Amino acid sequence: MGRLLPLLLMAAGMPAWTAQPVRARHAMVVTRERHATQAGVAVLRAGGNAVDAAVAVGFALAVTHPTAGNIGGGGFMLVRLADGRTAFIDFRERAPKAASRNMYLDSSGKPTEDSTIGYRASGVPGTVRGLEYASQKYGKKPWEEMLRPAMELASKGFPVSYGTAQSLRSSARGLSRFPESKRIFLRDGKYYEAGETFVQPELGRTLERIARLGAKDFYEGETARLLAQDMAEHGGLITAADLKSYTVKERRPLTGSYRGYSIVTAPPPSSGGVGILQMLGVLEGTGYEKAGAGSATAVHYMTEAMRRYFADRAEHLGDADFVKVPLSGLLDPNYILKLRKSIEAERATPSSQVHAGVFTGHESAKTTHYTIADAEGNIAAVTYTLNGGYGSKVTSAGLGFLLNNEMDDFAPKPGEANMYGLIQGEANAIQPGKTPLSSMTPAIVLRDGKPYLALGSPGGPTIINTVLEVIVNVLDFGMNVQDAVNWPRFHHQWMPDELRLEPGYSPDTIALLEKRGYTVKPVNAQGEVAAIRFINGWLEGAPDPRTEGTAEGY
Ligand code: GLY
């Protein structure tokens, strides 16, 4: 079959050298972890819709993918229903009421590690209330049923994958600082090996309460009580009142167009949607794509678009409920034209010469993404996170789940780099109740008003560029969705002024980029995309080969 396959593929009209996505006729689930994928497919087969499956996958990943899957964090769910309605559910963490602008600065004004590790790093988690909101408004299956796969995975256990075993071991330093995390995730130093069964009884009990009593348990019940108590005992900020007052915000998705395609994506407090729309606008009309995917010229134009957007991001993006975000200015065709014209064909613009736009008349790091399409034509694209891998590394006694360190997505000191080396401004300064700026960018591309591509990725600020790159790989470079996901990625975020390249760019290309003035820095891997393309009556599921992700459909 090995030698026959290329011939068969060519006969079927497909180039033999392409990577093949998973194809199905009716429904598709793409996630970062196989048990979660299976949980989603089981829900769909049992008559649940894409949102039901998204709820089940969200809880399952909280068990099987502890580095980012969570109930102690938050995220965004982008929904497109078969009837064309769209919704953006913001269940991101909010700053506790006791948070304050300079809370992460020491007496000499230097940022401390407290925004990244320990009890003070967490924002008020939103995942449980967000999934419940989605289930009640857009799902059709009973809540309890959606939690069942996660409860079973937690209480009966599941075989640890090679990647998870490696990941836990490599995070041992941080996790071992907190006794519950050390006991549960590191087995007190007897690290899990691939294939061993990981049972999480405390998490199983927490999930069982949430299944029985709803999100109310997490925000006002026993879970809330234990969490608030643990926070109080360890100098954390989150109180029972913070938990009780947590609300989900349903927002209108951001929309735009590119070369006749419509893009539906994330509004603030994500900086991702406006980023991909601005960058696509800058690219449109440059003719950059004629040079071909991976060419120095294509990388150059895309990098210059990235550099310019990230300068704007640093200055203007924040929680639009607290600060004015000049969305129409950032997406104004005249401004975009000005950005495009400022790109020199043969020379990198040093970041020191790139400044955020000035708009008058203001208008009113580990993360995971999964994408689901059901047989009725509904789509759910979810990116949710603890922020850093294993979040704050804190597991509260008796609860069994890790807490986020999302407070580091604020600008602990406006103008100075956070844990992603990202500079952020006043718009993203800490305020009680405010939502930290995010880069999470679930996105759905429509062709002739019908779904064509749905995707997202983790990766902190690299998310925005990863999503952009996969979109243009399909739309501009004509790749199939799996090739588009596999293709080597790159990232520029204005400051530091360096172009990060995954392996896969030839020394010739790198030399050409360096000649143009880029400081090239190699990186191992960027992002973990989960994408679905809708084409010719097929659903094509593309997990990311950089991970242990899977796609399954029927
Ligand atoms: N915590 C990563 C993000 O929201 O962008």
Side-chain angles (χ1 to χ4, degrees), residues 70 101 161 170 180 225 249-250 285 292 316 318 321 331 350 361 363 366 392 395 404 411 451 481 484 515:
N70 70 80
R101 182 189 159 87
S161 70
S170 66
E180 277 295 274
R225 190 183 67 73
K249 299 185 183 182
E250 182 170 337
H316 296 298
D321 294 343
L331 297 175
E363 53 181 296
K366 279 296 217 165
S392 67
T395 306
N404 68 83
V481 67
K515 209 167 137 214

Side-chain angles (χ1 to χ4, degrees), residues 92 313 365 367 385 387 406 409 420 437-440 460-461 463:
R92 188 156 166 80
R313 182 193 189 279
T367 297
T385 184
N387 194 23
E406 210 66 65
D409 267 351
Y420 296 108
L437 183 61
S438 173
S439 297
M440 295 187 288
I463 293 172

